[in-house]
């Protein structure tokens, strides 16, 4: 089980030692390759990527779940649980509630598919997949006007028009008042429609069932592979067990006891922040209103005078401190001179 929550300053202890039980990363690898059974957890990147990754290891490769699982992206702490059963089925829970499940072989590409498309099957040439067609009996009316512009019947060729010099005379065009648009035949259901052609499938000769898909004989190390650009996440209360009821009970006794209190504190904090922002916005509006009402610029002059006074005080302070230091030095020198005379 994985608990993911909001980090608070001072609550994340510094790691001690090279790894779990004193193991280094090189000691939990074989020939440079990880030998973990799999990895799972939230994968959030920007606004486009929001997935709950469930990646399992089988025969030298890591396989992602074919389903698109969404994780929770609000500000509350959440509990993630993955259950692998001996009958090659699985279940994913978020906050102790099932979100998906099924068969490992069906939802991961551990093995070649059981069925493949028949390589010798071909769609018949006369197979008609058109759901609707144009009515072959529908004819365009004789008086249908589909020309948007027509020659002006009142236009006359000028008397001085010389076709040898000016070319063939063409009269000007005017809008056609009888224009009805482009004519199209009506659409009817295709009487010869045969449906979408489905490629027939055959048994895959390369498929071999594997009863060891869900078998992980040695899960003795639990590691975290984290990549984040925004701090503030807590990962704690990890549990590896073969008892589903015990796992649910532990989740209720840890995450379940704190979730309501955490939500109340978060809502209270957000309300305080909201009030703070409202007060700051109110002060800003009042300041802007005062500037608008101050047509003579008196407030600005006062602010400038205050700024000048502050600058003068800042300049005089080092001078006063320097004069005081010089006076003390002169007193010490005089005291030393009196001692020498004595």
């Amino acid at each position: 089980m994985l608990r993911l929550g909001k980090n608070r300053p001072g609550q994340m202890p510094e790691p001690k030692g090279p790894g779990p039980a004193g193991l280094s990363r090189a000691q939990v690898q074989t020939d440079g390759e990880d030998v973990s059974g799999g990895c799972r957890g939230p994968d959030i990147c920007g606004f486009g990527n929001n997935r709950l990754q469930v990646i399992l290891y089988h025969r030298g490769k890591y396989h992602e779940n074919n389903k698109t699982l969404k994780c929770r992206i609000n500000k509350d702490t959440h509990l993630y649980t993955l259950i692998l059963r001996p009958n090659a089925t699985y279940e994913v829970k978020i906050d102790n509630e099932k979100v998906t499940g099924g068969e490992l072989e069906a939802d991961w590409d551990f093995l070649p598919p059981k069925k493949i498309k028949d390589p010798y099957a071909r769609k018949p040439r006369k197979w008609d997949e058109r759901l609707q067609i144009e009515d072959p009996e529908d004819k365009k009316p004789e008086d249908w006007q589909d020309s948007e512009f027509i020659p002006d019947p009142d236009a006359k060729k000028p008397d001085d028009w010389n076709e040898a010099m000016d070319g063939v005379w063409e009269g000007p065009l005017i809008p056609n008042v009888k224009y009805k648009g482009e004519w199209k035949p009506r659409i009817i259901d295709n009487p010869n429609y045969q449906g979408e052609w489905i490629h027939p499938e055959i048994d895959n000769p390369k498929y071999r069932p594997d009863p060891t898909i869900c078998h992980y004989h040695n899960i003795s190390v639990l590691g975290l592979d984290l990549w984040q650009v925004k701090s503030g996440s807590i990962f704690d209360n990890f549990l590896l067990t073969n008892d589903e009821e015990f796992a649910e009970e532990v989740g209720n006794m840890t995450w379940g006891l704190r979730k309501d209190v955490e939500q109340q504190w978060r809502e209270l904090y957000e309300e305080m922040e909201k009030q703070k922002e409202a007060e700051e916005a109110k002060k800003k509006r009042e300041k802007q209103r005062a500037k608008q009402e101050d047509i003579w610029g008196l407030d600005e002059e006062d602010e400038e005078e205050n700024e000048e006074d502050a600058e003068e005080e800042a300049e005089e302070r080092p001078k006063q401190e320097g004069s005081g230091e010089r006076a003390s030095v002169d007193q010490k020198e005089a005291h030393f001179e009196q001692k020498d005379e004595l």
Side-chain angles (χ1 to χ4, degrees), residues 15-53:
K16 298 179 180 180
L23 294 177
S24 65
R25 182 173 179 83
Q27 290 174 304
V28 295
Q29 292 181 337
T30 301
D31 296 331
E33 295 183 358
D34 290 337
V35 293
S36 60
C39 54
R40 60 207 61 87
D43 181 7
I44 303 173
C45 181
F47 298 98
N49 188 13
N50 169 26
R51 298 186 61 186
L52 176 59
Q53 295 283 10

Side-chain angles (χ1 to χ4, degrees), residues 67-326:
K67 293 181 179 179
T68 302
L69 307 179
K70 297 292 184 180
C71 58
R72 307 290 168 82
I73 57 174
N74 54 23
K75 299 180 180 180
D76 295 330
T77 300
H78 295 287
L79 178 70
Y80 293 87
T81 306
L82 173 64
I83 301 173
L84 299 178
R85 299 189 176 94
N87 60 352
T89 61
Y90 77 99
E91 185 175 323
V92 176
K93 292 182 178 181
I94 300 180
D95 298 342
N96 268 344
E97 295 181 358
K98 179 181 177 180
V99 294
T100 188
E103 297 181 358
L104 293 173
E105 185 177 338
D107 294 340
W108 278 267
D109 295 331
F110 296 127
L111 306 175
K114 293 182 179 180
K115 297 285 186 178
I116 60 173
K117 293 181 179 180
D118 186 356
Y120 300 104
R122 296 289 185 272
K123 183 174 72 172
R125 293 183 178 179
K126 295 184 178 180
W127 189 275
D128 197 342
E129 293 181 335
R130 298 175 299 169
L131 183 61
Q132 292 181 323
I133 59 173
E134 296 179 354
D135 187 358
E137 298 181 359
D138 191 15
K139 304 298 181 182
K140 176 181 175 182
E142 295 181 357
D143 58 346
W144 187 275
Q145 294 287 338
D146 54 5
S147 298
E148 188 174 359
F149 296 94
I150 58 175
D152 186 0
D154 298 330
K156 304 294 183 183
K157 184 172 69 171
D159 295 336
D160 59 348
W161 187 270
N162 188 346
E163 292 187 357
M165 298 292 295
D166 302 327
V168 179
W169 181 83
E170 295 180 357
L173 299 178
I174 60 174
N176 185 2
V177 295
K178 297 181 180 181
Y179 173 67
K180 297 182 180 180
E182 182 182 359
W183 182 84
K184 295 180 180 180
R186 62 173 173 266
I187 303 299
I188 61 173
D189 293 335
N190 184 4
N192 299 322
Y193 175 67
Q194 296 176 273
E196 182 181 358
W197 184 77
I198 300 175
H199 202 124
E201 294 183 340
I202 60 174
D203 293 335
N204 186 359
K206 296 182 180 180
Y207 172 78
R208 297 289 185 276
D210 187 355
T212 65
I213 288 178
C214 59
H215 293 180
Y216 297 98
H217 301 286
N218 184 16
I219 303 179
S220 56
V221 176
L222 189 148
L224 297 181
D225 187 6
L226 304 180
W227 182 21
Q228 61 179 7
V229 295
K230 183 178 180 181
S231 62
S233 298
I234 291 178
F235 300 83
D236 65 0
N237 291 343
F238 294 90
L239 176 65
L240 294 174
T241 180
N242 57 1
D243 190 337
E244 295 184 25
E245 295 181 357
F246 176 69
E248 184 172 352
E249 182 180 355
V250 171
N252 291 329
M253 294 299 294
T254 54
W255 164 83
L257 294 179
R258 292 192 294 266
K259 64 183 181 70
D260 294 335
V261 178
E262 180 185 288
Q263 184 178 2
Q264 294 174 2
W265 277 104
R266 178 181 59 78
E267 293 175 353
L268 178 61
Y269 173 77
E270 291 177 352
E271 184 64 25
M272 294 173 62
E273 289 293 317
K274 188 177 180 181
Q275 293 178 1
K276 183 178 178 181
E277 292 177 358
E279 291 176 359
E280 293 178 354
K282 182 179 179 182
K283 291 180 181 179
K284 186 176 181 181
R285 288 194 301 269
E286 291 177 353
K287 189 174 181 180
Q288 291 177 350
R289 190 182 301 111
K291 288 183 178 180
Q292 294 175 356
E293 294 176 354
D294 185 20
I295 58 176
W296 301 104
L298 300 178
D299 292 341
E300 294 181 357
E301 293 179 358
D302 294 340
E303 290 179 359
E304 292 178 356
E305 291 178 358
N306 294 333
E307 292 178 357
E308 292 177 356
D309 295 340
E311 292 177 356
E312 291 178 358
E313 290 179 0
E315 293 177 356
E316 292 178 358
R317 191 177 298 110
K319 295 179 181 180
Q320 294 176 356
E321 292 177 355
S323 61
E325 291 176 357
R326 285 194 298 271

